[in-house]
Amino acid sequence: MSLEKHFANLNKFFIAFLVIGLMFYATEDLFVITYIAMFVLVTLKALLLPGEVRIKIVLILAYVGIVVVQVFMIYRLIFVSPQYEEYARQIHVFRRFLAVVALIMPVLATRFIVAGRRVNFHMPSISNAATVGLAQIVRLKNSVGDTRKKLCLHNLRDAVDELSRHNSRHYINNGTLTESYFEDAQKTLDDPNIYVIISKTGSPVSELMSIYTRKVYNHASLSFDRDLQTTISYNGGQKVYPPGLNMEMLEFFNQTPDARILIYSIPCTREQKQKLVNKIDQINNEGSAYNVTGLVTNRSSKPNIMFCSQFVYKMLEYVDLAPFEMPHKPVSPTDLIEMDYYKKLKFEKEIRLNENDGN
């Protein structure tokens, strides 16, 4: 089967999955991410459009206005409690339907703006995204098979199910770190290092993220000890705890046959480590949530709403150990080591979790 047919089939599958997933399972965060993704695709398409610059500017301004309206609609109109409980289900389904229909707003705007101007503009499909974006995300000649594997129904279904548990505006995780955790953390104060763990867990969400990031490692964590008995990060809670600040054991990282982790250390004083333990305790008591929308916007609605690498960076920054200045973009897990130009982080070892002699 030709590459074009592969992408044509993938496009049909994606549209059907998107409509069904958004209609019945999507949270407000997932709707917002979808609107932003659509905005990025149509904007890229407009920039590549041959013709007048004026039309491009008008199109992009229209898309900006539309995505602002869409986000406002989600947070202020769609996901609010209906006034009458007996009509709750019907109203909720109708509102979700309106949110899905809102996806075509860029299409309608485009047709209205370019109508009669002899502009050949087609709305982006998955194949267009592959031309504009996936060409930069994967090397098609040797990565199409791998991408299709990661875009399997299992991963997509699990990712949607996982996103439905998140909330990027309110704290939903509180007190999941126990007293015994902090007792163990206190015992590490004589260890003169804090440890940064960069991992390939193989979880459905990290597999999908790897398509975009082109990185093998897509999760970051902190530990107060070298044996990783006090490892913590912002994660989905493995469907046991709410998404947010949670403890992580080695089993958390071992979700695929090629799961592996990289361990780095950064020297610290006893006072810095104690300050960090106290900060973790404060977050644990105040509450936390996983910053899904921050992966795109690099913004948090509350101080304790973060994603994994954002958490690691901010904690290091809090105790004056940040390996580089905060960039004007979301900090990815591999940024923590790739942007460490002065080598403040020292590589300790690699652990391949499914190899007996991995170290």
Side-chain angles (χ1 to χ4, degrees), residues 12 64 137 281 287:
K12 294 177 182 178
V64 171
I137 297 173
D281 190 18

Side-chain angles (χ1 to χ4, degrees), residues 117-340:
R117 290 177 171 83
R118 298 181 181 179
V119 176
N120 185 23
F121 188 101
H122 300 285
M123 294 307 298
S125 63
I126 289 299
S127 57
N128 297 139
T131 302
V132 175
L134 288 180
Q136 302 171 10
I137 297 173
V138 289
R139 303 296 181 185
L140 292 178
K141 63 180 180 181
N142 57 11
S143 298
V144 171
D146 182 56
T147 301
R148 291 180 63 205
K149 181 180 178 181
K150 292 176 180 178
L151 282 171
C152 67
L153 181 60
H154 168 74
N155 281 350
L156 291 169
R157 184 179 61 243
D158 280 7
V160 170
D161 182 56
E162 178 64 25
L163 284 169
S164 67
R165 301 173 60 242
H166 289 69
N167 192 311
S168 292
R169 294 192 297 152
H170 305 287
Y171 296 154
I172 58 176
N173 181 310
N174 182 269
T176 58
L177 299 181
T178 63
E179 290 184 9
S180 62
Y181 172 83
F182 290 102
E183 291 173 0
D184 291 339
Q186 289 291 336
K187 294 176 183 177
T188 70
L189 294 182
D190 291 330
D191 183 336
N193 295 297
I194 292 172
Y195 299 88
V196 175
I197 300 96
I198 310 297
S199 57
K200 171 181 169 56
T201 65
S203 67
V205 173
S206 66
E207 289 292 277
L208 293 174
M209 286 178 62
S210 69
I211 298 174
Y212 174 74
T213 64
R214 289 185 293 169
K215 303 293 185 180
V216 173
Y217 299 92
N218 287 288
H219 186 63
S221 314
L222 277 179
S223 178
F224 293 108
D225 68 289
R226 193 174 188 272
D227 295 328
L228 310 186
Q229 297 302 304
T230 55
T231 305
I232 51 172
S233 187
Y234 272 60
N235 56 54
Q238 294 186 287
K239 300 183 180 180
V240 177
Y241 302 106
L245 178 63
N246 291 296
M247 190 174 177
E248 296 176 343
M249 304 299 290
L250 282 180
E251 292 78 8
F252 170 86
F253 303 107
N254 193 8
Q255 300 184 42
T256 187
D258 61 343
R260 52 192 183 271
I261 62 178
L262 304 175
I263 303 175
Y264 292 81
S265 64
I266 185 166
C268 69
T269 65
R270 183 184 181 91
E271 290 73 22
Q272 285 174 313
K273 182 171 279 193
Q274 181 66 69
K275 183 179 179 181
L276 184 54
V277 171
N278 294 342
K279 181 63 175 178
I280 298 299
D281 190 18
Q282 177 187 340
I283 295 174
N284 187 55
N285 290 325
E286 291 178 351
S288 63
Y290 190 90
N291 190 16
V292 175
T293 55
L295 295 169
V296 178
T297 65
N298 199 28
R299 295 289 184 271
S300 300
S301 60
K302 291 186 176 182
N304 297 349
I305 296 180
M306 295 178 265
F307 50 86
C308 63
S309 48
Q310 185 182 28
F311 162 72
V312 171
Y313 180 89
K314 286 192 173 184
M315 293 303 99
L316 293 177
E317 182 182 46
Y318 180 72
V319 292
D320 300 318
L321 294 175
F324 52 87
E325 292 186 5
M326 174 71 82
H328 298 291
K329 68 179 184 67
V331 179
S332 73
T334 52
D335 282 343
L336 294 167
I337 50 179
E338 292 174 352
M339 296 181 65
D340 179 20

